[in-house]
Amino acid sequence: DWSSDVCSSDLAQQWEAKIATAIATLPPEQAQMLKLAYFDDRSHSDIAETLKLPLGTVKSRLRLAIGRLRSVFEPEESP
């Protein structure tokens, strides 16, 4: 049905905007790693080789970036 396709498209655009805004708040090196790994579908070792960084640095930056994004999209749990 046409109306559900429009709603799905609107929802996808809203999420895309939220994700782009959240990524823009990351430190540049974390945003770069996230884009390479998830949007360009590059392996961690490929990113490390391309950027001339240790593999551990790439993994750490990705872990930090994902943690920051998680805190934006998941509300804190109350004690």
Side-chain angles (χ1 to χ4, degrees):
D1 157 296
W2 181 81
S3 62
S4 66
D5 289 344
V6 171
C7 289
S8 294
S9 177
D10 287 345
L11 185 59
Q13 288 176 346
Q14 289 173 1
W15 269 106
E16 189 176 305
K18 281 183 177 184
I19 291 168
T21 300
I23 290 172
T25 67
L26 295 172
E29 63 276 358
Q30 291 177 17
Q32 178 186 34
M33 298 296 150
L34 202 66
K35 288 174 186 174
L36 290 170
Y38 294 99
F39 295 97
D40 294 347
D41 199 29
R42 307 262 304 268
S43 70
H44 296 179
S45 57
D46 184 44
I47 295 168
E49 185 178 317
T50 300
L51 298 178
K52 310 276 191 267
L53 291 170
L55 181 58
T57 299
V58 171
K59 291 178 179 278
S60 293
R61 288 180 182 173
L62 280 167
R63 187 175 59 252
L64 289 169
I66 291 169
R68 285 178 185 240
L69 292 180
R70 185 174 288 128
S71 70
V72 169
F73 289 101
E74 291 180 358
E76 288 186 29
E77 292 183 26
S78 301

